[in-house]
Amino acid sequence: MAEHVAKSPALDVPPEPPAKRIKLSPQPKKQDADDSGPASPSATPLVADLAEQLDAQERNKYVKGKKLGSGQYADVFSAYLVTDPTQLVAIKKIKVGAEVKEMGISYDSLREIRFLQELDHPNIIKLYSVFSTKNQNLNLVLEQLPQGDLLKLIQDTQNISYTPADVKAWMLMLMRAVHFCHANFILHRDIKPNNLLIAANGEIKLADFGLARSFADPYQPMTYNTITIWYRPPELFFQAQFYGGAVDVWSCGAVFAELISRDVLFRAWPESEMNMVKLICEKVGTPTEENWPGVSKLKGYVTPTEIQPVRPKDYWLANFRTIGEIGVDLLMKMLTLDPKVRLSAEGVLKHEYWTSAPRPSKLEALPRKGGGIEVMGEDLKRRGGEVPGKENERGDKVARKIDFGAAK
Amino acid sequence: MSRLAQQKSSPVARRDGGAVRPPGDSLLTPQDGELPTRQMDRMSLSYSTHTDSPATEVCPVCKSTKYMNPNLKFLVNPVCYHKMCESCVDRLFSHGPAPCPIKGCSETLRKNRFRKQTFEDIKVEREVDIRKKVAQVFNRREEEFASLREYNDYLNDVEDITFNLINNIDIEETQRRFKNHEDKWKENIVENASLAQQEQMLYAEQQKAEREQAKRRREEARREEMEERKEAEATRRDMLRRLENGQDPEEVKKERAAVQLKKRQNRQDAANRQSQLKAADATNGSSSFVIKGLKNKKAKLEPEAPVDPFGGLTFEHSYFSLQDDYVWEGLREAKRDPLIAAGGYDIASFTGRALCEAFSGLGVMVADEAVERERLNEPETLSTTKAEIAAKDVKMEDPF
Ligand SMILES: Nc1ncnc2c1ncn2[C@@H]1O[C@H](COP(=O)(O)OP(=O)(O)OP(=O)(O)O)[C@@H](O)[C@H]1O
Ligand SMILES: [Mg+2]
Ligand SMILES: [Zn+2]
Ligand SMILES: [Zn+2]
């Protein structure tokens, strides 16, 4: 199998996402040196004809149903197979944006397709196939995840209560997904509770790969203007262009804290970068050369006027004591200022938190929105959001994955 | 306020001595997990006049009434329990934590903690909250105590603490006891909470299984009855037909009796089998019964495999092994560049990726790929998509 999964010429993607997906901060001009200009959408007519036929065939396999939700750049519908109405999928219809006129296809969806087809993991949403419609609308056929997202659970403080063991189970699934991405050299760059969808059986699925990218080569700068602002790590506020998996680990740490306190950890208001840095200084500590060698060399670093020393363990314990001392230790190591010192996803999974008491909750014991035990019992019969009986065919729908050594 | 466990009473003086506590001097910080203890006194003062019928309820902040606006909904925040309407909550707290607008109340409230009032009487609401909080922390189980006596003493203490918290008696001392217990039993609390949850789950599951079994049995019985009726009808018709055809009535009668005997025996066998199955079901199901009423905590936690954080995933490279460091001209500069290091860029992850990509071609069997391509071009597999077709033909540089 080839090490690059080759793709349609139309899938030749320009580098970083355009302004539309910029996460609430002004777009810096020309900051990406890897901005190599748009690639040519040069499908040969023959391929295009055939492709159109195939598209129609793929499209006609599904019956579209009610809307499941919509986001900044897509509407998501429920759908089922014509041949078997019990087989549910979700069709994510990409909204046509400005760049579509230019490119014929949206960057974000390309990222999403590109990475999702490479990743096959129980905690990462599955992409079954892709088709387009007349007006160049791109449709991703995804596994349907009918239980909403983690944000809905966190916010429903009236009806949903959960235990430290539940938090551990959710975080473990999240960290496995992130570790898997990193082990496959992919950065997600948009980890937050509403991108963590919940499958019928309670499994967490990392979704929305619209901002993902592969690890950069040395000297290949990346954008610092990524990750939803509340979940963005300090190095990106300081405009670092060479970064790694540590950015996702910070976001995971923020999700961890949010799960425990049921409130956003760094809720800057108004949502400016300056306020975010202020909040991070206040809650974690002020980044200095002492606690983060080299930080002052970063382009966006502002020499602080007053210094909040790095918060000690007691401070964290006072706020997050429900997860115990070991849990707090992990949380602090995920929210360490210096990305070199911050745990990697692998380091997080090696922490003793996971194996110490309490055991992470079993899937069936995890709280879920609405539908009581009865409904859940029904759901449990099906595995995940998987289309029953489709496992073997899936590989044929989506371009084949890279074989990363012996990833077993 | 009611005291549930009527056991030995605490000294009366303590109860009378409950001073009005100034707000904000609680031992616990106003966060989740906090005990709703404050301000009850002031609150009952300001609201005793407002417990009128729901139709004339007035929002103390914007003065809207149910009469003017039938959709008016009231919310309370379990920090100070001041009631206000939903639109006031939206307006005041959407931009983050803000002070309670009720005059004289200085609590900082968060929007996501507002909720509908469950009980009409706000005092009951607060008592239920306190009871919930206490029950969460004081969740020791009977099986942890050597004797029933000790368990009862413990329950009594818990009720004392609950009573004091509800009535603002000896509040500092009580909160200290609460916190001491919470710290001392931290791990046990967490463990018992998850045990309780598991039991609840098991119980619910078992109830469901029982209901399903009952339903199956009913259906089975109905099916049998129908079959019996059908059979009887068929035999009757058969007999009539034979009589019409001029067979000897005695003969027909005898034959019919024999057939019916045989059928009855078959049914008997089936019934036996059914009851055997039922018995087997019951013994299988009984394992969850044991868990439900089990006394011994240790026995309840069946040995489970230790948690594997990696979920059985290992990343082994079949073609190479990674060194800690590579001396290569192209990387030397990067290693020294403070900008690259400060942002958290990890050179080792690059060398790892480079090697992985360099070696991943070794697993390719060109012949297999060709066969695959053939297959894709056959008409019956035309269900493939645009992306795939191209996937086999076009080699793409990493464009990101
Ligand atoms: N596979 C799925 N199954 C069920 N619902 C889904 C699925 N995928 C997405 N949704 C719903 O649709 C919403 C939007 O999806 P998604 O986050 O992928 O779109 P987006 O445009 O990237 O959103 P964002 O605003 O976060 O950028 C989700 O919040 C979720 O409620
Ligand atoms: Mg999203
Ligand atoms: Zn009001
Ligand atoms: Zn108040």
Side-chain angles (χ1 to χ4, degrees):
Chain A
M1 208 179 293
E3 78 265 29
H4 285 291
V5 172
K7 288 180 196 75
S8 130
L11 293 186
D12 246 18
V13 197
E16 296 286 305
K20 174 184 64 72
R21 283 280 270 191
I22 290 301
K23 298 295 182 175
L24 293 156
S25 33
Q27 161 86 313
K29 272 175 240 134
K30 249 314 186 211
Q31 52 123 351
D32 271 323
D34 55 344
D35 200 321
S36 48
S40 51
S42 61
T44 68
L46 191 127
V47 172
D49 269 2
L50 184 53
E52 236 154 67
Q53 262 180 33
L54 297 179
D55 258 358
Q57 281 196 7
E58 186 61 30
R59 184 168 68 236
N60 294 334
K61 278 198 210 159
Y62 306 98
V63 180
K64 207 153 98 181
K66 67 168 202 294
K67 199 186 232 182
L68 290 172
S70 61
Q72 274 187 55
Y73 87 115
D75 291 322
V76 181
F77 297 89
S78 176
Y80 59 85
L81 273 181
V82 180
T83 50
D84 183 355
T86 63
Q87 302 196 353
L88 295 176
V89 295
I91 294 188
K92 179 165 175 174
K93 185 174 175 187
I94 311 298
K95 289 175 185 165
V96 188
E99 73 274 47
V100 174
K101 291 195 191 84
E102 226 174 275
M103 289 288 304
I105 196 164
S106 126
Y107 309 145
D108 287 345
S109 44
L110 293 178
R111 289 164 186 285
E112 190 146 14
I113 295 166
R114 167 144 190 235
F115 294 115
L116 280 182
Q117 61 189 358
E118 287 180 9
L119 297 170
D120 183 11
H121 186 272
N123 301 117
I124 296 176
I125 191 168
K126 285 193 180 24
L127 175 68
Y128 294 127
S129 68
V130 181
F131 63 86
S132 63
T133 44
K134 301 157 263 323
N135 29 19
Q136 288 292 312
N137 260 335
L138 200 65
N139 294 263
L140 314 194
V141 183
L142 297 161
E143 69 177 312
Q144 188 175 128
L145 301 169
Q147 294 280 339
D149 55 50
L150 211 50
L151 183 65
K152 291 199 188 100
L153 289 189
I154 293 174
Q155 286 183 336
D156 190 357
T157 50
Q158 289 197 23
N159 302 308
I160 293 188
S161 61
Y162 50 73
T163 65
D166 299 334
V167 172
K168 187 177 286 186
W170 284 323
M171 281 306 295
L172 182 54
M173 291 189 274
L174 167 60
M175 289 318 305
R176 282 178 179 166
V178 173
H179 173 243
F180 190 79
C181 290
H182 292 181
N184 285 322
F185 311 108
I186 290 167
L187 299 173
H188 184 279
R189 301 196 303 182
D190 201 13
I191 294 167
K192 54 179 174 178
N194 51 345
N195 282 338
L196 297 168
L197 304 183
I198 303 169
N201 67 352
E203 257 174 337
I204 292 288
K205 308 265 181 173
L206 182 56
D208 203 347
F209 278 65
L211 291 175
R213 64 158 293 152
S214 48
F215 280 27
D217 291 345
Y219 301 115
Q220 183 190 8
M222 295 176 272
T223 181
Y224 48 80
N225 209 345
T226 186
I227 303 186
T228 303
I229 192 161
W230 287 344
Y231 303 88
R232 197 182 294 171
E235 61 269 29
L236 296 188
F237 291 116
F238 296 151
Q239 306 181 2
Q241 295 201 286
F242 309 100
Y243 51 84
V247 297
D248 283 338
V249 173
W250 177 279
S251 307
C252 292
V255 172
F256 193 10
E258 186 167 340
L259 273 169
I260 301 159
S261 63
R262 302 188 81 153
D263 199 359
V264 179
L265 177 61
F266 303 112
R267 186 197 288 278
W269 195 269
E271 289 175 6
S272 69
E273 290 173 25
M274 216 177 68
N275 284 341
M276 276 301 297
V277 173
K278 240 195 253 163
L279 257 185
I280 291 173
C281 289
E282 183 190 315
K283 294 196 170 187
V284 185
T286 311
T288 60
E289 277 296 322
E290 280 72 56
N291 58 39
W292 181 350
V295 65
S296 61
K297 306 267 176 4
L298 292 173
K299 202 164 54 180
Y301 182 77
V302 190
T303 313
T305 45
E306 56 184 298
I307 287 176
Q308 165 64 54
V310 172
R311 294 287 189 180
K313 190 160 193 175
D314 282 346
Y315 172 85
W316 291 91
L317 262 174
N319 289 290
F320 300 99
R321 65 192 138 91
T322 42
I323 47 160
E325 207 162 320
I326 299 173
V328 165
D329 183 70
L330 174 60
L331 181 64
M332 289 176 72
K333 287 175 175 160
M334 294 171 80
L335 292 171
T336 297
L337 295 170
D338 185 346
K340 287 189 301 305
V341 182
R342 198 179 303 149
L343 284 183
S344 64
E346 188 183 349
V348 170
L349 286 178
K350 285 182 173 160
H351 195 273
E352 59 176 326
Y353 169 65
W354 312 108
T355 47
S356 60
R359 260 186 101 91
S361 301
K362 300 226 163 44
L363 284 184
E364 59 271 22
L366 288 172
R368 55 199 69 225
K369 73 154 212 256
I373 299 271
E374 287 288 310
V375 176
M376 192 191 72
E378 284 305 306
D379 285 344
L380 279 177
K381 292 188 192 135
R382 218 185 310 145
R383 214 190 112 237
E386 211 125 272
V387 176
K390 287 296 277 186
E391 284 92 325
N392 296 334
E393 249 187 86
R394 198 190 76 82
D396 299 334
K397 287 274 126 46
V398 177
R400 294 159 70 194
K401 316 181 299 255
I402 301 175
D403 183 9
F404 295 99
K408 270 200 201 132
Chain B
M1 312 258 144
S2 64
R3 267 194 104 197
L4 293 183
Q6 292 291 347
Q7 290 184 350
K8 85 168 196 281
S9 58
S10 342
V12 180
R14 245 176 61 193
R15 238 154 254 177
D16 293 338
V20 177
R21 281 168 32 75
D25 104 38
S26 149
L27 279 175
L28 302 169
T29 45
Q31 274 172 355
D32 283 301
E34 159 209 32
L35 283 167
T37 52
R38 289 178 251 148
Q39 293 218 332
M40 200 46 203
D41 312 272
R42 189 145 26 89
M43 194 185 62
S44 32
L45 285 181
S46 46
Y47 279 104
S48 50
T49 48
H50 275 294
T51 43
D52 28 15
S53 77
T56 55
E57 245 178 340
V58 179
C59 170
V61 182
C62 67
K63 311 292 180 217
S64 305
T65 60
K66 261 241 155 69
Y67 178 72
M68 308 271 289
N69 173 9
N71 293 329
L72 200 65
K73 278 199 202 81
F74 288 94
L75 301 174
V76 292
N77 191 309
V79 174
C80 65
Y81 290 92
H82 283 130
K83 186 163 51 170
M84 61 197 84
C85 78
E86 209 168 27
S87 71
C88 281
V89 170
D90 277 341
R91 179 166 41 80
L92 297 169
F93 301 101
S94 282
H95 300 310
C100 173
I102 303 296
K103 212 177 259 159
C105 177
S106 55
E107 294 301 333
T108 301
L109 307 179
R110 285 161 195 279
K111 185 174 170 190
N112 69 357
R113 302 261 291 147
F114 275 94
R115 57 166 205 226
K116 279 194 211 85
Q117 211 172 311
T118 316
F119 301 95
E120 201 174 323
D121 185 344
I122 204 89
K123 287 188 205 151
V124 175
E125 180 94 19
R126 177 175 167 277
E127 175 168 349
V128 169
D129 280 351
I130 291 178
R131 288 197 176 277
K132 259 194 229 156
K133 277 275 133 72
V134 172
Q136 252 169 38
V137 169
F138 290 83
N139 64 354
R140 296 189 61 192
R141 302 158 67 99
E142 190 177 345
E143 63 258 31
E144 291 173 38
F145 294 87
S147 68
L148 184 62
R149 178 62 213 261
E150 281 169 55
Y151 183 49
N152 269 333
D153 287 348
Y154 163 78
L155 288 182
N156 196 59
D157 284 349
V158 174
E159 191 48 37
D160 273 350
I161 288 177
T162 313
F163 185 86
N164 287 357
L165 289 174
I166 289 168
N167 298 296
N168 282 336
I169 296 164
D170 274 349
I171 216 69
E172 262 153 67
E173 165 66 11
T174 310
Q175 288 196 340
R176 203 185 48 73
R177 279 169 74 193
F178 184 96
K179 209 163 173 301
N180 279 350
H181 179 90
E182 190 174 25
D183 291 344
K184 184 170 165 205
W185 294 96
K186 201 164 48 189
E187 269 159 36
N188 195 55
I189 289 169
V190 170
E191 200 183 325
N192 283 350
S194 88
L195 262 177
Q197 204 188 21
Q198 281 172 30
E199 282 168 355
Q200 213 189 335
M201 280 291 309
L202 274 170
Y203 181 64
E205 257 168 38
Q206 185 210 323
Q207 292 232 307
K208 195 185 159 198
E210 274 170 21
R211 277 201 302 279
E212 261 170 17
Q213 258 178 40
K215 197 173 130 203
R216 262 210 325 265
R217 261 179 249 138
R218 273 199 309 277
E219 268 166 14
E220 189 61 23
R222 205 172 41 227
R223 204 180 50 78
E224 261 173 38
E225 202 184 290
M226 287 241 299
E227 234 150 62
E228 232 168 283
R229 219 179 298 145
K230 250 193 262 163
E231 253 169 43
E233 175 65 15
T235 348
R236 201 180 58 86
R237 243 187 262 142
D238 184 52
M239 201 167 69
L240 284 176
R241 198 167 41 79
R242 289 185 196 209
L243 289 174
E244 269 169 21
N245 290 349
Q247 276 189 30
D248 174 17
E250 279 308 307
E251 190 90 337
V252 170
K253 229 189 221 164
K254 238 193 271 165
E255 228 174 80
R256 187 186 161 199
V259 167
Q260 271 179 340
L261 184 69
K262 191 146 180 245
K263 279 188 177 157
R264 208 171 301 137
Q265 268 166 356
N266 282 347
R267 266 200 298 278
Q268 188 63 41
D269 287 351
N272 283 343
R273 262 200 310 279
Q274 273 280 315
S275 63
Q276 271 165 12
L277 277 176
K278 237 179 271 178
D281 266 3
T283 41
N284 287 344
S286 69
S287 58
S288 36
F289 265 111
V290 174
I291 286 173
K292 186 172 133 202
L294 203 68
K295 283 275 155 98
N296 186 351
K297 207 168 157 180
K298 303 239 164 52
K300 191 171 317 169
L301 296 167
E302 329 149 0
E304 277 182 291
V307 176
D308 171 13
F310 288 83
L313 203 75
T314 53
F315 295 87
E316 276 156 23
H317 306 285
S318 6
Y319 303 110
F320 62 93
S321 59
L322 274 177
Q323 275 167 243
D324 287 341
D325 195 17
Y326 287 88
V327 183
W328 177 51
E329 209 41 55
L331 290 177
R332 190 171 297 160
E333 278 305 303
K335 277 181 208 158
R336 270 196 233 118
D337 191 336
L339 264 184
I340 288 193
Y345 182 84
D346 179 15
I347 292 183
S349 80
F350 165 71
T351 45
R353 178 165 66 100
L355 283 171
C356 184
E357 287 177 356
F359 285 92
S360 54
L362 290 182
V364 177
M365 300 302 141
V366 177
D368 293 352
E369 296 264 306
V371 170
E372 177 77 356
R373 199 155 33 225
E374 286 288 283
R375 200 185 59 77
L376 278 168
N377 287 332
E378 279 162 21
E380 65 264 34
T381 50
L382 270 182
S383 60
T384 42
T385 64
K386 194 189 274 183
E388 280 166 277
I389 284 287
K392 302 297 165 193
D393 302 327
V394 182
K395 175 124 159 102
M396 187 176 67
E397 295 299 306
D398 183 350
F400 287 80

